[in-house]
Amino acid sequence: MITTLDTQTWAETGTRLLSSSLDRLGDRDLDAPCALPGWTRRHLLAHVASNAEAIGRLLEWARTGVETPMYSSPEQRAADIETGSARPDLREWVRASATTLTAAMDALPAEAWSARVVTAQGRIVPASETPWMRARETCIHAVDLDAGTTFAELPDAFLRHLLDEVAAWRSSRGGGPAVVLVTPETRHDIAGDGAPQHVELPLAAAAAWIVGRGPGPDQLALPRWL
Ligand code: ZN
Protein backbone atom coordinates (compact mmCIF):
# COMPACT_ATOMS: atom_id res chain seq x y z
CA MET A 1 0.00 0.00 0.00
CA ILE A 2 1.48 3.28 -1.16
CA THR A 3 0.82 6.26 1.13
CA THR A 4 0.80 9.98 0.42
CA LEU A 5 3.88 10.17 2.61
CA ASP A 6 5.68 7.70 0.29
CA THR A 7 4.81 9.66 -2.82
CA GLN A 8 5.76 12.96 -1.18
CA THR A 9 9.12 11.47 -0.26
CA TRP A 10 9.68 10.33 -3.86
CA ALA A 11 8.77 13.79 -5.12
CA GLU A 12 11.40 15.24 -2.78
CA THR A 13 13.98 12.69 -3.93
CA GLY A 14 13.29 13.65 -7.54
CA THR A 15 13.64 17.34 -6.71
CA ARG A 16 16.95 16.67 -4.94
CA LEU A 17 18.30 14.67 -7.90
CA LEU A 18 17.14 17.30 -10.38
CA SER A 19 18.69 20.03 -8.30
CA SER A 20 22.05 18.28 -7.97
CA SER A 21 22.05 17.56 -11.71
CA LEU A 22 21.31 21.22 -12.32
CA ASP A 23 24.24 22.23 -10.09
CA ARG A 24 26.57 20.27 -12.37
CA LEU A 25 25.52 22.34 -15.37
CA GLY A 26 26.85 25.74 -16.35
CA ASP A 27 24.55 28.36 -17.85
CA ARG A 28 25.72 27.53 -21.39
CA ASP A 29 24.87 23.85 -20.82
CA LEU A 30 21.27 24.88 -20.24
CA ASP A 31 20.99 25.99 -23.88
CA ALA A 32 21.81 22.45 -25.07
CA PRO A 33 19.13 19.85 -25.82
CA CYS A 34 17.79 17.69 -22.99
CA ALA A 35 16.79 14.06 -23.59
CA LEU A 36 13.29 15.03 -24.72
CA PRO A 37 12.93 15.73 -28.43
CA GLY A 38 12.62 19.39 -29.37
CA TRP A 39 13.40 20.77 -25.92
CA THR A 40 16.51 22.42 -24.53
CA ARG A 41 17.35 21.91 -20.87
CA ARG A 42 15.85 25.36 -20.30
CA HIS A 43 12.50 24.17 -21.67
CA LEU A 44 12.59 21.11 -19.44
CA LEU A 45 13.40 23.19 -16.35
CA ALA A 46 10.66 25.70 -17.16
CA HIS A 47 8.24 22.78 -17.56
CA VAL A 48 9.22 21.34 -14.15
CA ALA A 49 8.82 24.73 -12.46
CA SER A 50 5.47 25.37 -14.20
CA ASN A 51 4.37 21.90 -13.16
CA ALA A 52 5.05 22.70 -9.49
CA GLU A 53 2.87 25.80 -9.81
CA ALA A 54 0.18 23.84 -11.68
CA ILE A 55 0.04 21.13 -9.02
CA GLY A 56 -0.07 23.92 -6.45
CA ARG A 57 -3.25 25.13 -8.16
CA LEU A 58 -4.80 21.68 -7.67
CA LEU A 59 -3.94 21.81 -3.95
CA GLU A 60 -5.54 25.24 -3.79
CA TRP A 61 -8.64 23.78 -5.49
CA ALA A 62 -8.72 20.92 -2.97
CA ARG A 63 -8.34 23.32 -0.04
CA THR A 64 -10.89 25.93 -1.10
CA GLY A 65 -13.29 24.09 -3.42
CA VAL A 66 -12.73 26.85 -6.01
CA GLU A 67 -12.01 25.22 -9.35
CA THR A 68 -8.44 26.13 -10.43
CA PRO A 69 -7.18 23.88 -13.24
CA MET A 70 -3.49 23.06 -13.68
CA TYR A 71 -3.30 25.01 -16.94
CA SER A 72 -5.89 27.25 -18.55
CA SER A 73 -5.26 25.51 -21.90
CA PRO A 74 -2.65 23.33 -23.64
CA GLU A 75 -1.61 26.45 -25.60
CA GLN A 76 -1.09 28.40 -22.38
CA ARG A 77 0.95 25.53 -20.96
CA ALA A 78 3.22 25.52 -24.03
CA ALA A 79 3.51 29.32 -24.03
CA ASP A 80 4.50 29.32 -20.33
CA ILE A 81 7.28 26.81 -21.06
CA GLU A 82 8.55 28.92 -23.94
CA THR A 83 8.50 32.17 -21.93
CA GLY A 84 9.80 30.46 -18.80
CA SER A 85 12.77 28.95 -20.64
CA ALA A 86 14.12 32.47 -21.20
CA ARG A 87 13.84 33.55 -17.56
CA PRO A 88 17.17 34.77 -16.18
CA ASP A 89 16.19 33.38 -12.76
CA LEU A 90 15.34 29.93 -14.17
CA ARG A 91 17.42 27.97 -11.63
CA GLU A 92 15.93 29.91 -8.75
CA TRP A 93 12.42 29.45 -10.16
CA VAL A 94 12.88 25.67 -10.29
CA ARG A 95 13.98 25.59 -6.65
CA ALA A 96 11.52 28.14 -5.26
CA SER A 97 8.52 26.57 -7.03
CA ALA A 98 9.43 23.15 -5.59
CA THR A 99 9.82 24.58 -2.09
CA THR A 100 6.50 26.40 -2.32
CA LEU A 101 4.77 23.20 -3.46
CA THR A 102 6.26 21.19 -0.60
CA ALA A 103 5.03 23.80 1.87
CA ALA A 104 1.54 23.69 0.31
CA MET A 105 1.46 19.89 0.63
CA ASP A 106 2.64 20.04 4.23
CA ALA A 107 -0.03 22.61 5.05
CA LEU A 108 -2.95 20.87 3.31
CA PRO A 109 -5.68 20.01 5.85
CA ALA A 110 -6.19 16.23 6.19
CA GLU A 111 -9.73 16.28 4.78
CA ALA A 112 -8.65 18.19 1.64
CA TRP A 113 -6.55 15.24 0.42
CA SER A 114 -9.75 13.41 -0.56
CA ALA A 115 -11.19 16.37 -2.51
CA ARG A 116 -11.57 15.68 -6.26
CA VAL A 117 -9.48 17.63 -8.75
CA VAL A 118 -8.82 17.27 -12.48
CA THR A 119 -5.41 16.56 -14.01
CA ALA A 120 -4.04 18.16 -17.19
CA GLN A 121 -5.05 14.95 -19.02
CA GLY A 122 -8.62 15.41 -17.78
CA ARG A 123 -8.60 12.61 -15.22
CA ILE A 124 -10.62 13.17 -12.04
CA VAL A 125 -8.45 12.18 -9.08
CA PRO A 126 -8.35 12.78 -5.32
CA ALA A 127 -5.84 15.47 -4.29
CA SER A 128 -3.88 12.64 -2.64
CA GLU A 129 -2.78 11.67 -6.18
CA THR A 130 -0.89 14.97 -6.64
CA PRO A 131 2.33 14.01 -4.80
CA TRP A 132 2.56 10.96 -7.08
CA MET A 133 2.04 13.18 -10.13
CA ARG A 134 4.83 15.41 -8.88
CA ALA A 135 7.09 12.43 -8.06
CA ARG A 136 6.73 11.18 -11.64
CA GLU A 137 7.65 14.60 -13.00
CA THR A 138 10.65 15.27 -10.78
CA CYS A 139 12.13 11.76 -10.87
CA ILE A 140 11.77 11.17 -14.61
CA HIS A 141 12.74 14.70 -15.63
CA ALA A 142 15.82 14.54 -13.35
CA VAL A 143 16.97 11.82 -15.78
CA ASP A 144 15.71 13.71 -18.86
CA LEU A 145 17.90 16.68 -17.88
CA ASP A 146 20.73 14.50 -19.17
CA ALA A 147 23.28 15.58 -16.60
CA GLY A 148 24.25 12.30 -15.01
CA THR A 149 21.15 11.18 -13.08
CA THR A 150 19.97 7.69 -14.06
CA PHE A 151 16.92 5.52 -13.35
CA ALA A 152 19.12 3.37 -11.10
CA GLU A 153 19.26 6.30 -8.64
CA LEU A 154 15.47 6.48 -8.31
CA PRO A 155 13.89 4.69 -5.31
CA ASP A 156 13.00 1.03 -6.03
CA ALA A 157 9.50 1.45 -4.64
CA PHE A 158 8.98 4.43 -6.97
CA LEU A 159 10.15 2.34 -9.94
CA ARG A 160 7.80 -0.54 -9.00
CA HIS A 161 4.85 1.86 -8.70
CA LEU A 162 5.74 3.42 -12.04
CA LEU A 163 5.86 -0.03 -13.66
CA ASP A 164 2.43 -0.88 -12.20
CA GLU A 165 0.92 2.32 -13.48
CA VAL A 166 2.43 2.40 -16.96
CA ALA A 167 1.90 -1.33 -17.56
CA ALA A 168 -1.80 -0.87 -16.71
CA TRP A 169 -1.98 2.23 -18.91
CA ARG A 170 -0.38 0.40 -21.84
CA SER A 171 -2.68 -2.62 -21.39
CA SER A 172 -5.82 -0.49 -21.43
CA ARG A 173 -4.59 1.68 -24.27
CA GLY A 174 -3.45 -1.13 -26.60
CA GLY A 175 -1.70 -0.46 -29.87
CA GLY A 176 1.60 -2.04 -28.83
CA PRO A 177 3.00 -5.55 -28.65
CA ALA A 178 1.84 -7.95 -25.92
CA VAL A 179 4.69 -8.18 -23.40
CA VAL A 180 5.47 -10.15 -20.28
CA LEU A 181 7.89 -7.81 -18.51
CA VAL A 182 9.88 -9.49 -15.77
CA THR A 183 12.41 -8.01 -13.35
CA PRO A 184 14.02 -9.75 -10.37
CA GLU A 185 11.18 -8.39 -8.23
CA THR A 186 8.22 -7.77 -10.52
CA ARG A 187 6.17 -9.29 -13.33
CA HIS A 188 3.73 -7.39 -15.54
CA ASP A 189 1.56 -8.81 -18.29
CA ILE A 190 1.01 -6.00 -20.77
CA ALA A 191 -1.90 -6.66 -23.11
CA GLY A 192 -1.27 -5.97 -26.79
CA ASP A 193 -0.87 -7.39 -30.23
CA GLY A 194 0.55 -10.82 -31.07
CA ALA A 195 1.97 -13.56 -28.92
CA PRO A 196 3.42 -12.10 -25.70
CA GLN A 197 7.11 -11.25 -25.95
CA HIS A 198 9.08 -12.20 -22.86
CA VAL A 199 11.30 -9.31 -21.72
CA GLU A 200 13.61 -9.62 -18.73
CA LEU A 201 15.44 -6.57 -17.43
CA PRO A 202 16.76 -5.16 -14.15
CA LEU A 203 14.12 -3.05 -12.35
CA ALA A 204 15.58 0.35 -13.28
CA ALA A 205 16.07 -0.65 -16.94
CA ALA A 206 12.51 -2.03 -17.13
CA ALA A 207 11.07 1.20 -15.74
CA ALA A 208 13.17 3.29 -18.13
CA TRP A 209 12.06 1.17 -21.08
CA ILE A 210 8.35 1.19 -20.25
CA VAL A 211 8.31 5.01 -20.08
CA GLY A 212 10.22 5.29 -23.36
CA ARG A 213 13.55 6.35 -21.83
CA GLY A 214 15.71 3.31 -22.24
CA PRO A 215 16.71 0.73 -24.80
CA GLY A 216 14.67 -2.43 -24.70
CA PRO A 217 14.97 -5.63 -26.63
CA ASP A 218 15.84 -5.26 -30.31
CA GLN A 219 12.89 -4.69 -32.60
CA LEU A 220 10.39 -4.37 -29.79
CA ALA A 221 9.17 -0.80 -29.94
CA LEU A 222 6.53 0.50 -27.56
CA PRO A 223 4.12 3.28 -28.51
CA ARG A 224 4.69 6.65 -26.88
CA TRP A 225 3.74 7.02 -23.24
CA LEU A 226 1.66 10.19 -22.51
ZN1 ZN B 1 6.57 16.48 -17.58
Side-chain angles (χ1 to χ4, degrees), residues 36 39 44 47-48 51 77 137 141 213:
L36 295 181
W39 271 4
L44 181 71
H47 163 59
V48 172
N51 170 266
R77 174 181 176 276
E137 289 293 315
H141 291 327
R213 263 73 171 181

Side-chain angles (χ1 to χ4, degrees), residues 169-198:
W169 182 87
R170 289 194 177 285
S171 288
S172 66
R173 190 99 166 180
V179 173
V180 179
L181 179 56
V182 177
T183 78
E185 36 188 329
T186 61
R187 177 199 160 105
H188 291 89
D189 291 87
I190 303 170
D193 304 331
Q197 309 276 323
H198 194 88

Side-chain angles (χ1 to χ4, degrees), residues 102-115:
T102 301
M105 285 183 182
D106 289 345
L108 197 70
E111 66 277 10
W113 286 109
S114 54

Side-chain angles (χ1 to χ4, degrees), residues 10-12 14-15 18 48 134-143:
W10 299 338
E12 292 305 316
T15 296
L18 185 91
V48 172
R134 181 62 181 166
R136 250 179 11 198
E137 289 293 315
T138 58
C139 287
I140 297 177
H141 291 327
V143 178

